[in-house]
Short mmCIF file of all heavy atoms in Angstrom, two decimals:
data_model
loop_
_atom_site.label_atom_id
_atom_site.label_comp_id
_atom_site.label_asym_id
_atom_site.label_seq_id
_atom_site.Cartn_x
_atom_site.Cartn_y
_atom_site.Cartn_z
N MET A 292 0.01 -9.95 -8.84
CA MET A 292 0.63 -9.28 -7.76
C MET A 292 1.68 -8.34 -8.31
O MET A 292 2.23 -8.58 -9.38
CB MET A 292 1.20 -10.27 -6.75
CG MET A 292 2.34 -11.12 -7.22
SD MET A 292 3.83 -10.25 -6.82
CE MET A 292 5.05 -11.23 -7.55
N ASN A 293 1.91 -7.25 -7.63
CA ASN A 293 2.94 -6.28 -7.98
C ASN A 293 3.66 -5.86 -6.71
O ASN A 293 3.07 -5.84 -5.63
CB ASN A 293 2.34 -5.05 -8.61
CG ASN A 293 1.74 -5.33 -9.98
OD1 ASN A 293 2.43 -5.75 -10.89
ND2 ASN A 293 0.42 -5.14 -10.09
N GLY A 294 4.93 -5.53 -6.85
CA GLY A 294 5.68 -5.06 -5.70
C GLY A 294 6.87 -4.23 -6.10
O GLY A 294 7.18 -4.11 -7.28
N SER A 295 7.51 -3.63 -5.13
CA SER A 295 8.68 -2.80 -5.36
C SER A 295 9.64 -2.97 -4.19
O SER A 295 9.21 -3.04 -3.04
CB SER A 295 8.27 -1.34 -5.48
OG SER A 295 9.42 -0.54 -5.53
N GLY A 296 10.91 -3.03 -4.52
CA GLY A 296 11.92 -3.07 -3.49
C GLY A 296 12.47 -1.68 -3.22
O GLY A 296 13.52 -1.53 -2.62
N GLY A 297 11.75 -0.64 -3.66
CA GLY A 297 12.21 0.71 -3.48
C GLY A 297 12.88 1.26 -4.72
O GLY A 297 12.91 2.46 -4.95
N CYS A 298 13.44 0.38 -5.53
CA CYS A 298 14.09 0.78 -6.76
C CYS A 298 13.55 -0.04 -7.93
O CYS A 298 13.09 0.51 -8.91
CB CYS A 298 15.59 0.57 -6.64
SG CYS A 298 16.51 1.00 -8.12
N ASN A 299 13.59 -1.34 -7.81
CA ASN A 299 13.13 -2.23 -8.87
C ASN A 299 11.74 -2.75 -8.57
O ASN A 299 11.34 -2.88 -7.43
CB ASN A 299 14.10 -3.41 -9.02
CG ASN A 299 15.45 -2.95 -9.47
OD1 ASN A 299 15.59 -2.38 -10.53
ND2 ASN A 299 16.46 -3.15 -8.63
N ARG A 300 10.99 -3.05 -9.63
CA ARG A 300 9.65 -3.58 -9.49
C ARG A 300 9.64 -5.06 -9.85
O ARG A 300 10.47 -5.54 -10.61
CB ARG A 300 8.69 -2.82 -10.42
CG ARG A 300 8.51 -1.37 -10.01
CD ARG A 300 7.57 -0.64 -10.97
NE ARG A 300 8.01 -0.69 -12.37
CZ ARG A 300 8.81 0.19 -12.94
NH1 ARG A 300 9.27 1.20 -12.25
NH2 ARG A 300 9.14 0.06 -14.20
N ILE A 301 8.65 -5.76 -9.30
CA ILE A 301 8.47 -7.18 -9.60
C ILE A 301 6.96 -7.42 -9.73
O ILE A 301 6.16 -6.77 -9.08
CB ILE A 301 9.09 -8.06 -8.50
CG1 ILE A 301 9.03 -9.51 -8.91
CG2 ILE A 301 8.42 -7.83 -7.16
CD1 ILE A 301 9.86 -10.43 -8.02
N SER A 302 6.60 -8.32 -10.62
CA SER A 302 5.18 -8.67 -10.76
C SER A 302 5.07 -10.13 -11.13
O SER A 302 6.04 -10.74 -11.59
CB SER A 302 4.51 -7.79 -11.83
OG SER A 302 5.08 -8.04 -13.09
N GLY A 303 3.91 -10.68 -10.91
CA GLY A 303 3.69 -12.09 -11.23
C GLY A 303 2.25 -12.47 -10.92
O GLY A 303 1.41 -11.61 -10.65
N THR A 304 1.99 -13.75 -10.95
CA THR A 304 0.65 -14.25 -10.64
C THR A 304 0.73 -15.24 -9.50
O THR A 304 1.81 -15.74 -9.17
CB THR A 304 0.03 -14.93 -11.87
OG1 THR A 304 0.86 -16.02 -12.26
CG2 THR A 304 -0.12 -13.97 -13.04
N PHE A 305 -0.40 -15.54 -8.90
CA PHE A 305 -0.47 -16.52 -7.81
C PHE A 305 -1.82 -17.17 -7.83
O PHE A 305 -2.75 -16.72 -8.48
CB PHE A 305 -0.20 -15.85 -6.47
CG PHE A 305 -1.28 -14.88 -6.05
CD1 PHE A 305 -2.38 -15.32 -5.31
CD2 PHE A 305 -1.20 -13.55 -6.42
CE1 PHE A 305 -3.37 -14.42 -4.94
CE2 PHE A 305 -2.21 -12.65 -6.05
CZ PHE A 305 -3.28 -13.09 -5.32
N THR A 306 -1.91 -18.26 -7.13
CA THR A 306 -3.20 -18.93 -6.93
C THR A 306 -3.42 -19.06 -5.42
O THR A 306 -2.48 -19.12 -4.65
CB THR A 306 -3.24 -20.32 -7.57
OG1 THR A 306 -2.19 -21.12 -7.02
CG2 THR A 306 -3.09 -20.26 -9.06
N ARG A 307 -4.69 -19.08 -5.05
CA ARG A 307 -5.04 -19.21 -3.64
C ARG A 307 -5.69 -20.58 -3.45
O ARG A 307 -6.64 -20.94 -4.16
CB ARG A 307 -5.99 -18.13 -3.22
CG ARG A 307 -6.31 -18.14 -1.74
CD ARG A 307 -7.18 -16.98 -1.41
NE ARG A 307 -8.49 -17.17 -2.06
CZ ARG A 307 -9.63 -17.17 -1.39
NH1 ARG A 307 -9.67 -16.98 -0.11
NH2 ARG A 307 -10.75 -17.35 -2.05
N THR A 308 -5.20 -21.33 -2.48
CA THR A 308 -5.78 -22.61 -2.13
C THR A 308 -6.12 -22.55 -0.64
O THR A 308 -5.23 -22.63 0.18
CB THR A 308 -4.78 -23.76 -2.39
OG1 THR A 308 -4.37 -23.69 -3.75
CG2 THR A 308 -5.40 -25.10 -2.12
N GLY A 309 -7.40 -22.36 -0.32
CA GLY A 309 -7.77 -22.18 1.08
C GLY A 309 -7.19 -20.92 1.59
O GLY A 309 -7.41 -19.84 1.02
N VAL A 310 -6.35 -21.00 2.60
CA VAL A 310 -5.70 -19.81 3.15
C VAL A 310 -4.24 -19.71 2.69
O VAL A 310 -3.55 -18.78 3.09
CB VAL A 310 -5.77 -19.81 4.70
CG1 VAL A 310 -7.18 -19.72 5.19
CG2 VAL A 310 -5.10 -21.03 5.29
N ALA A 311 -3.80 -20.64 1.86
CA ALA A 311 -2.40 -20.63 1.39
C ALA A 311 -2.29 -19.97 0.03
O ALA A 311 -3.13 -20.14 -0.83
CB ALA A 311 -1.88 -22.06 1.31
N LEU A 312 -1.23 -19.19 -0.17
CA LEU A 312 -0.91 -18.60 -1.48
C LEU A 312 0.20 -19.43 -2.10
O LEU A 312 1.16 -19.83 -1.44
CB LEU A 312 -0.47 -17.17 -1.32
CG LEU A 312 -1.51 -16.19 -0.84
CD1 LEU A 312 -0.88 -14.81 -0.68
CD2 LEU A 312 -2.67 -16.09 -1.82
N LYS A 313 0.09 -19.65 -3.40
CA LYS A 313 1.12 -20.39 -4.11
C LYS A 313 1.53 -19.60 -5.34
O LYS A 313 0.72 -19.01 -6.02
CB LYS A 313 0.60 -21.76 -4.52
CG LYS A 313 0.21 -22.60 -3.33
CD LYS A 313 -0.12 -23.99 -3.74
CE LYS A 313 -0.51 -24.75 -2.48
NZ LYS A 313 -0.39 -26.13 -2.60
N MET A 314 2.83 -19.64 -5.63
CA MET A 314 3.32 -18.98 -6.81
C MET A 314 2.82 -19.72 -8.05
O MET A 314 2.71 -20.95 -8.03
CB MET A 314 4.85 -18.96 -6.80
CG MET A 314 5.42 -18.09 -5.72
SD MET A 314 7.20 -18.20 -5.55
CE MET A 314 7.76 -17.84 -7.18
N ALA A 315 2.54 -19.00 -9.09
CA ALA A 315 2.06 -19.62 -10.34
C ALA A 315 3.19 -19.71 -11.33
O ALA A 315 3.29 -18.95 -12.27
CB ALA A 315 0.88 -18.79 -10.89
N CYS A 316 4.11 -20.64 -11.11
CA CYS A 316 5.24 -20.85 -12.02
C CYS A 316 4.95 -22.07 -12.85
O CYS A 316 4.43 -23.07 -12.37
CB CYS A 316 6.52 -21.07 -11.22
SG CYS A 316 6.96 -19.67 -10.17
N THR A 317 5.30 -22.01 -14.13
CA THR A 317 5.02 -23.13 -15.03
C THR A 317 6.21 -24.07 -15.21
O THR A 317 6.05 -25.18 -15.65
CB THR A 317 4.58 -22.61 -16.41
OG1 THR A 317 5.60 -21.80 -16.95
CG2 THR A 317 3.29 -21.82 -16.30
N ASP A 318 7.43 -23.63 -14.86
CA ASP A 318 8.62 -24.49 -15.00
C ASP A 318 8.68 -25.46 -13.84
O ASP A 318 8.22 -25.17 -12.73
CB ASP A 318 9.90 -23.65 -14.99
CG ASP A 318 10.02 -22.77 -16.23
OD1 ASP A 318 9.43 -23.09 -17.24
OD2 ASP A 318 10.73 -21.77 -16.12
N PRO A 319 9.31 -26.63 -14.05
CA PRO A 319 9.53 -27.54 -12.93
C PRO A 319 10.36 -26.85 -11.86
O PRO A 319 11.24 -26.04 -12.17
CB PRO A 319 10.30 -28.72 -13.55
CG PRO A 319 10.08 -28.59 -15.03
CD PRO A 319 9.80 -27.13 -15.32
N PRO A 320 10.14 -27.17 -10.58
CA PRO A 320 10.86 -26.48 -9.50
C PRO A 320 12.37 -26.50 -9.62
O PRO A 320 13.01 -25.50 -9.35
CB PRO A 320 10.40 -27.21 -8.24
CG PRO A 320 9.07 -27.79 -8.61
CD PRO A 320 9.15 -28.10 -10.08
N THR A 321 12.98 -27.60 -10.06
CA THR A 321 14.43 -27.65 -10.17
C THR A 321 14.94 -26.67 -11.21
O THR A 321 15.94 -26.01 -11.02
CB THR A 321 14.92 -29.06 -10.47
OG1 THR A 321 14.24 -29.53 -11.66
CG2 THR A 321 14.64 -30.01 -9.33
N ARG A 322 14.25 -26.59 -12.34
CA ARG A 322 14.67 -25.65 -13.38
C ARG A 322 14.41 -24.21 -12.96
O ARG A 322 15.20 -23.33 -13.22
CB ARG A 322 13.92 -25.97 -14.69
CG ARG A 322 14.33 -25.04 -15.79
CD ARG A 322 13.62 -25.38 -17.08
NE ARG A 322 13.90 -24.31 -18.00
CZ ARG A 322 14.37 -24.49 -19.20
NH1 ARG A 322 14.61 -25.69 -19.63
NH2 ARG A 322 14.58 -23.48 -19.99
N ARG A 323 13.28 -23.97 -12.29
CA ARG A 323 12.92 -22.64 -11.85
C ARG A 323 14.02 -22.06 -10.94
O ARG A 323 14.44 -20.93 -11.11
CB ARG A 323 11.58 -22.69 -11.09
CG ARG A 323 11.04 -21.37 -10.69
CD ARG A 323 9.70 -21.50 -9.98
NE ARG A 323 8.88 -22.55 -10.55
CZ ARG A 323 8.32 -23.50 -9.83
NH1 ARG A 323 8.49 -23.59 -8.55
NH2 ARG A 323 7.57 -24.42 -10.41
N GLY A 324 14.48 -22.86 -9.99
CA GLY A 324 15.54 -22.39 -9.08
C GLY A 324 16.81 -22.05 -9.82
O GLY A 324 17.46 -21.06 -9.55
N ALA A 325 17.17 -22.88 -10.80
CA ALA A 325 18.38 -22.65 -11.57
C ALA A 325 18.22 -21.38 -12.41
O ALA A 325 19.16 -20.57 -12.51
CB ALA A 325 18.67 -23.85 -12.47
N ASN A 326 17.07 -21.19 -13.03
CA ASN A 326 16.85 -19.98 -13.83
C ASN A 326 16.92 -18.73 -12.98
O ASN A 326 17.54 -17.73 -13.38
CB ASN A 326 15.48 -20.05 -14.55
CG ASN A 326 15.46 -21.02 -15.68
OD1 ASN A 326 16.49 -21.46 -16.16
ND2 ASN A 326 14.27 -21.38 -16.13
N GLU A 327 16.27 -18.76 -11.82
CA GLU A 327 16.33 -17.59 -10.93
C GLU A 327 17.73 -17.31 -10.47
O GLU A 327 18.17 -16.14 -10.46
CB GLU A 327 15.42 -17.80 -9.72
CG GLU A 327 13.97 -17.67 -10.06
CD GLU A 327 13.06 -17.77 -8.83
OE1 GLU A 327 13.54 -17.46 -7.71
OE2 GLU A 327 11.90 -18.18 -8.99
N ALA A 328 18.48 -18.34 -10.12
CA ALA A 328 19.86 -18.14 -9.68
C ALA A 328 20.72 -17.55 -10.77
O ALA A 328 21.53 -16.64 -10.52
CB ALA A 328 20.45 -19.48 -9.19
N GLN A 329 20.55 -18.01 -12.03
CA GLN A 329 21.31 -17.47 -13.15
C GLN A 329 20.97 -16.00 -13.39
O GLN A 329 21.83 -15.19 -13.64
CB GLN A 329 21.05 -18.27 -14.40
CG GLN A 329 21.71 -19.62 -14.42
CD GLN A 329 21.38 -20.39 -15.68
OE1 GLN A 329 20.27 -20.35 -16.16
NE2 GLN A 329 22.38 -21.07 -16.24
N PHE A 330 19.68 -15.69 -13.30
CA PHE A 330 19.24 -14.31 -13.54
C PHE A 330 19.77 -13.38 -12.47
O PHE A 330 20.30 -12.30 -12.77
CB PHE A 330 17.72 -14.25 -13.61
CG PHE A 330 17.20 -12.88 -13.97
CD1 PHE A 330 17.49 -12.29 -15.15
CD2 PHE A 330 16.41 -12.19 -13.05
CE1 PHE A 330 17.03 -11.01 -15.48
CE2 PHE A 330 15.94 -10.93 -13.37
CZ PHE A 330 16.25 -10.34 -14.59
N ILE A 331 19.68 -13.76 -11.21
CA ILE A 331 20.18 -12.93 -10.11
C ILE A 331 21.69 -12.76 -10.23
O ILE A 331 22.23 -11.66 -10.04
CB ILE A 331 19.77 -13.53 -8.77
CG1 ILE A 331 18.27 -13.37 -8.58
CG2 ILE A 331 20.54 -12.86 -7.59
CD1 ILE A 331 17.68 -14.12 -7.41
N SER A 332 22.41 -13.83 -10.60
CA SER A 332 23.85 -13.73 -10.80
C SER A 332 24.19 -12.73 -11.91
O SER A 332 25.11 -11.92 -11.80
CB SER A 332 24.42 -15.10 -11.15
OG SER A 332 25.79 -15.02 -11.41
N ALA A 333 23.40 -12.79 -13.02
CA ALA A 333 23.63 -11.85 -14.12
C ALA A 333 23.40 -10.41 -13.66
O ALA A 333 24.18 -9.51 -13.98
CB ALA A 333 22.73 -12.18 -15.30
N LEU A 334 22.35 -10.18 -12.88
CA LEU A 334 22.07 -8.84 -12.39
C LEU A 334 23.19 -8.34 -11.48
O LEU A 334 23.60 -7.19 -11.54
CB LEU A 334 20.75 -8.79 -11.65
CG LEU A 334 19.48 -8.94 -12.50
CD1 LEU A 334 18.27 -8.98 -11.60
CD2 LEU A 334 19.38 -7.85 -13.55
N GLN A 335 23.71 -9.23 -10.64
CA GLN A 335 24.76 -8.83 -9.71
C GLN A 335 26.08 -8.51 -10.40
O GLN A 335 26.85 -7.68 -9.93
CB GLN A 335 24.98 -9.93 -8.66
CG GLN A 335 23.83 -10.03 -7.66
CD GLN A 335 23.98 -11.22 -6.74
OE1 GLN A 335 24.57 -12.23 -7.09
NE2 GLN A 335 23.41 -11.08 -5.55
N SER A 336 26.33 -9.15 -11.55
CA SER A 336 27.58 -8.90 -12.27
C SER A 336 27.46 -7.81 -13.33
O SER A 336 28.44 -7.45 -13.98
CB SER A 336 28.11 -10.19 -12.89
OG SER A 336 27.21 -10.66 -13.87
N THR A 337 26.27 -7.23 -13.49
CA THR A 337 26.08 -6.20 -14.50
C THR A 337 26.70 -4.88 -14.07
O THR A 337 26.45 -4.41 -12.96
CB THR A 337 24.57 -5.99 -14.78
OG1 THR A 337 24.05 -7.21 -15.33
CG2 THR A 337 24.32 -4.86 -15.74
N THR A 338 27.52 -4.30 -14.95
CA THR A 338 28.12 -3.00 -14.68
C THR A 338 27.70 -1.96 -15.73
O THR A 338 27.90 -0.79 -15.53
CB THR A 338 29.66 -3.08 -14.62
OG1 THR A 338 30.13 -3.57 -15.85
CG2 THR A 338 30.10 -3.98 -13.48
N SER A 339 27.18 -2.45 -16.86
CA SER A 339 26.72 -1.54 -17.91
C SER A 339 25.75 -2.27 -18.81
O SER A 339 25.46 -3.46 -18.60
CB SER A 339 27.90 -1.01 -18.73
OG SER A 339 28.55 -2.04 -19.42
N TYR A 340 25.24 -1.59 -19.81
CA TYR A 340 24.30 -2.19 -20.73
C TYR A 340 24.48 -1.59 -22.11
O TYR A 340 25.15 -0.57 -22.28
CB TYR A 340 22.85 -1.98 -20.26
CG TYR A 340 22.40 -0.54 -20.39
CD1 TYR A 340 21.76 -0.11 -21.53
CD2 TYR A 340 22.63 0.37 -19.36
CE1 TYR A 340 21.36 1.23 -21.66
CE2 TYR A 340 22.22 1.69 -19.50
CZ TYR A 340 21.59 2.11 -20.64
OH TYR A 340 21.22 3.41 -20.78
N ARG A 341 23.87 -2.22 -23.10
CA ARG A 341 23.81 -1.64 -24.44
C ARG A 341 22.49 -2.07 -25.06
O ARG A 341 21.96 -3.12 -24.74
CB ARG A 341 24.97 -2.07 -25.33
CG ARG A 341 24.97 -3.49 -25.76
CD ARG A 341 26.12 -3.79 -26.74
NE ARG A 341 26.27 -5.21 -26.91
CZ ARG A 341 25.47 -5.97 -27.68
NH1 ARG A 341 24.48 -5.43 -28.36
NH2 ARG A 341 25.65 -7.28 -27.76
N LEU A 342 21.95 -1.21 -25.90
CA LEU A 342 20.75 -1.55 -26.63
C LEU A 342 21.14 -2.49 -27.77
O LEU A 342 22.09 -2.22 -28.48
CB LEU A 342 20.09 -0.29 -27.20
CG LEU A 342 19.60 0.71 -26.14
CD1 LEU A 342 19.04 1.93 -26.82
CD2 LEU A 342 18.58 0.06 -25.22
N ALA A 343 20.43 -3.59 -27.87
CA ALA A 343 20.74 -4.62 -28.87
C ALA A 343 19.59 -4.72 -29.85
O ALA A 343 19.16 -5.80 -30.22
CB ALA A 343 21.01 -5.94 -28.18
N GLY A 344 19.06 -3.60 -30.27
CA GLY A 344 17.91 -3.57 -31.14
C GLY A 344 16.78 -2.81 -30.48
O GLY A 344 16.89 -2.41 -29.31
N PRO A 345 15.68 -2.60 -31.17
CA PRO A 345 14.61 -1.78 -30.64
C PRO A 345 13.87 -2.39 -29.46
O PRO A 345 13.22 -1.69 -28.70
CB PRO A 345 13.66 -1.59 -31.83
CG PRO A 345 13.97 -2.71 -32.75
CD PRO A 345 15.42 -3.05 -32.54
N THR A 346 13.98 -3.71 -29.28
CA THR A 346 13.24 -4.36 -28.17
C THR A 346 14.15 -5.21 -27.29
O THR A 346 13.68 -6.02 -26.51
CB THR A 346 12.12 -5.27 -28.73
OG1 THR A 346 12.69 -6.29 -29.55
CG2 THR A 346 11.11 -4.45 -29.54
N ARG A 347 15.47 -5.03 -27.41
CA ARG A 347 16.40 -5.87 -26.65
C ARG A 347 17.43 -5.04 -25.90
O ARG A 347 17.90 -4.02 -26.41
CB ARG A 347 17.10 -6.83 -27.59
CG ARG A 347 16.12 -7.81 -28.21
CD ARG A 347 16.73 -8.59 -29.34
NE ARG A 347 17.76 -9.46 -28.81
CZ ARG A 347 18.09 -10.62 -29.36
NH1 ARG A 347 17.45 -11.04 -30.43
NH2 ARG A 347 19.01 -11.37 -28.86
N LEU A 348 17.75 -5.49 -24.70
CA LEU A 348 18.71 -4.83 -23.84
C LEU A 348 19.73 -5.85 -23.41
O LEU A 348 19.36 -6.90 -22.85
CB LEU A 348 18.02 -4.22 -22.62
CG LEU A 348 18.90 -3.51 -21.60
CD1 LEU A 348 19.39 -2.20 -22.16
CD2 LEU A 348 18.13 -3.27 -20.32
N ALA A 349 21.00 -5.62 -23.69
CA ALA A 349 22.07 -6.50 -23.27
C ALA A 349 22.67 -5.98 -21.97
O ALA A 349 23.06 -4.82 -21.91
CB ALA A 349 23.13 -6.61 -24.35
N LEU A 350 22.76 -6.84 -20.95
CA LEU A 350 23.43 -6.49 -19.71
C LEU A 350 24.86 -6.99 -19.81
O LEU A 350 25.12 -8.13 -20.18
CB LEU A 350 22.72 -7.16 -18.52
CG LEU A 350 21.24 -6.85 -18.35
CD1 LEU A 350 20.70 -7.56 -17.11
CD2 LEU A 350 21.00 -5.35 -18.28
N LEU A 351 25.82 -6.11 -19.48
CA LEU A 351 27.24 -6.41 -19.66
C LEU A 351 27.96 -6.42 -18.34
O LEU A 351 27.65 -5.64 -17.43
CB LEU A 351 27.87 -5.35 -20.57
CG LEU A 351 27.13 -5.04 -21.90
CD1 LEU A 351 27.78 -3.85 -22.58
CD2 LEU A 351 27.13 -6.25 -22.78
N ASP A 352 28.99 -7.29 -18.24
CA ASP A 352 29.82 -7.30 -17.03
C ASP A 352 30.99 -6.32 -17.23
O ASP A 352 31.07 -5.61 -18.23
CB ASP A 352 30.28 -8.72 -16.69
CG ASP A 352 31.24 -9.32 -17.72
OD1 ASP A 352 31.72 -8.60 -18.61
OD2 ASP A 352 31.51 -10.54 -17.61
N ALA A 353 31.89 -6.29 -16.26
CA ALA A 353 32.99 -5.30 -16.27
C ALA A 353 33.90 -5.44 -17.47
O ALA A 353 34.52 -4.47 -17.91
CB ALA A 353 33.78 -5.41 -14.99
N SER A 354 33.99 -6.66 -18.05
CA SER A 354 34.83 -6.87 -19.22
C SER A 354 34.07 -6.65 -20.54
O SER A 354 34.65 -6.83 -21.61
CB SER A 354 35.45 -8.27 -19.20
OG SER A 354 34.44 -9.25 -19.35
N GLY A 355 32.81 -6.24 -20.47
CA GLY A 355 32.03 -5.99 -21.65
C GLY A 355 31.33 -7.21 -22.22
O GLY A 355 30.71 -7.16 -23.26
N ARG A 356 31.42 -8.35 -21.50
CA ARG A 356 30.76 -9.58 -21.92
C ARG A 356 29.28 -9.52 -21.61
O ARG A 356 28.87 -9.08 -20.56
CB ARG A 356 31.41 -10.76 -21.20
CG ARG A 356 30.88 -12.12 -21.61
CD ARG A 356 31.61 -13.24 -20.87
NE ARG A 356 31.35 -13.19 -19.43
CZ ARG A 356 30.41 -13.91 -18.82
NH1 ARG A 356 29.66 -14.75 -19.49
NH2 ARG A 356 30.24 -13.81 -17.52
N THR A 357 28.44 -10.00 -22.52
CA THR A 357 26.99 -10.04 -22.30
C THR A 357 26.69 -11.14 -21.31
O THR A 357 27.03 -12.30 -21.51
CB THR A 357 26.24 -10.31 -23.62
OG1 THR A 357 26.54 -9.26 -24.54
CG2 THR A 357 24.75 -10.40 -23.41
N VAL A 358 26.03 -10.74 -20.19
CA VAL A 358 25.66 -11.72 -19.17
C VAL A 358 24.18 -12.04 -19.22
O VAL A 358 23.73 -13.04 -18.68
CB VAL A 358 26.06 -11.27 -17.75
CG1 VAL A 358 27.58 -11.22 -17.62
CG2 VAL A 358 25.46 -9.92 -17.41
N ALA A 359 23.38 -11.19 -19.88
CA ALA A 359 21.96 -11.45 -20.08
C ALA A 359 21.45 -10.60 -21.23
O ALA A 359 21.95 -9.50 -21.45
CB ALA A 359 21.16 -11.13 -18.80
N LEU A 360 20.48 -11.13 -21.95
CA LEU A 360 19.84 -10.40 -23.03
C LEU A 360 18.36 -10.37 -22.72
O LEU A 360 17.73 -11.42 -22.64
CB LEU A 360 20.13 -11.11 -24.36
CG LEU A 360 19.71 -10.37 -25.62
CD1 LEU A 360 20.38 -9.02 -25.73
CD2 LEU A 360 20.06 -11.21 -26.83
N LEU A 361 17.83 -9.19 -22.51
CA LEU A 361 16.42 -9.05 -22.11
C LEU A 361 15.59 -8.55 -23.30
O LEU A 361 16.04 -7.69 -24.05
CB LEU A 361 16.31 -8.04 -20.96
CG LEU A 361 17.21 -8.31 -19.76
CD1 LEU A 361 17.05 -7.19 -18.73
CD2 LEU A 361 16.92 -9.65 -19.15
N ASN A 362 14.41 -9.12 -23.47
CA ASN A 362 13.48 -8.73 -24.53
C ASN A 362 12.32 -7.99 -23.92
O ASN A 362 11.89 -8.29 -22.78
CB ASN A 362 12.95 -9.98 -25.27
CG ASN A 362 14.06 -10.68 -25.99
OD1 ASN A 362 14.74 -10.09 -26.79
ND2 ASN A 362 14.21 -11.95 -25.72
N SER A 363 11.74 -7.07 -24.66
CA SER A 363 10.63 -6.28 -24.13
C SER A 363 9.32 -7.03 -24.08
O SER A 363 8.36 -6.57 -23.53
CB SER A 363 10.41 -5.01 -24.99
OG SER A 363 9.88 -5.38 -26.23
N GLY A 364 9.27 -8.23 -24.63
CA GLY A 364 8.03 -8.98 -24.63
C GLY A 364 7.08 -8.59 -25.73
O GLY A 364 5.89 -8.81 -25.64
N GLY A 365 7.60 -7.94 -26.76
CA GLY A 365 6.80 -7.61 -27.93
C GLY A 365 6.04 -6.32 -27.84
O GLY A 365 5.19 -6.03 -28.65
N ARG A 366 6.30 -5.50 -26.86
CA ARG A 366 5.62 -4.22 -26.73
C ARG A 366 6.24 -3.19 -27.61
O ARG A 366 7.31 -3.12 -27.94
CB ARG A 366 5.65 -3.73 -25.28
CG ARG A 366 4.83 -4.60 -24.41
CD ARG A 366 4.86 -4.04 -23.01
NE ARG A 366 4.44 -5.06 -22.07
CZ ARG A 366 4.37 -4.89 -20.81
NH1 ARG A 366 4.68 -3.73 -20.30
NH2 ARG A 366 3.98 -5.80 -20.01
#
């Protein structure tokens, strides 16, 4: 599946069981929720970024602290 919120894109996989769609997440639900919450919090506090190598992007908060480090996934 692919989608857009008008600015940012999102993609993922799903499975269909009868008429119900289910997200295809491999982490346990409790960890998944915590990971998503941490990632969204990092995005909300990001005010700038810096390149941290050819395949890495550091998201920085207002004080210049790294709140997330994103990898290109080997592309």
Side-chain angles (χ1 to χ4, degrees):
M292 66 91 186
N293 292 299
S295 172
C298 178
N299 296 298
R300 293 178 305 270
I301 187 168
S302 64
T304 60
F305 66 91
T306 58
R307 184 177 67 124
T308 306
V310 296
L312 293 177
K313 298 187 181 202
M314 293 173 54
C316 299
T317 58
D318 293 336
T321 54
R322 180 179 171 127
R323 185 178 323 127
N326 286 345
E327 285 184 27
Q329 286 178 321
F330 184 62
I331 290 169
S332 176
L334 291 176
Q335 289 173 331
S336 64
T337 296
T338 59
S339 64
Y340 70 91
R341 71 175 167 78
L342 297 177
T346 61
R347 295 168 67 149
L348 178 72
L350 303 181
L351 310 173
D352 67 10
S354 66
R356 183 178 65 96
T357 299
V358 294
L360 189 59
L361 308 177
N362 295 305
S363 71
R366 293 182 197 179

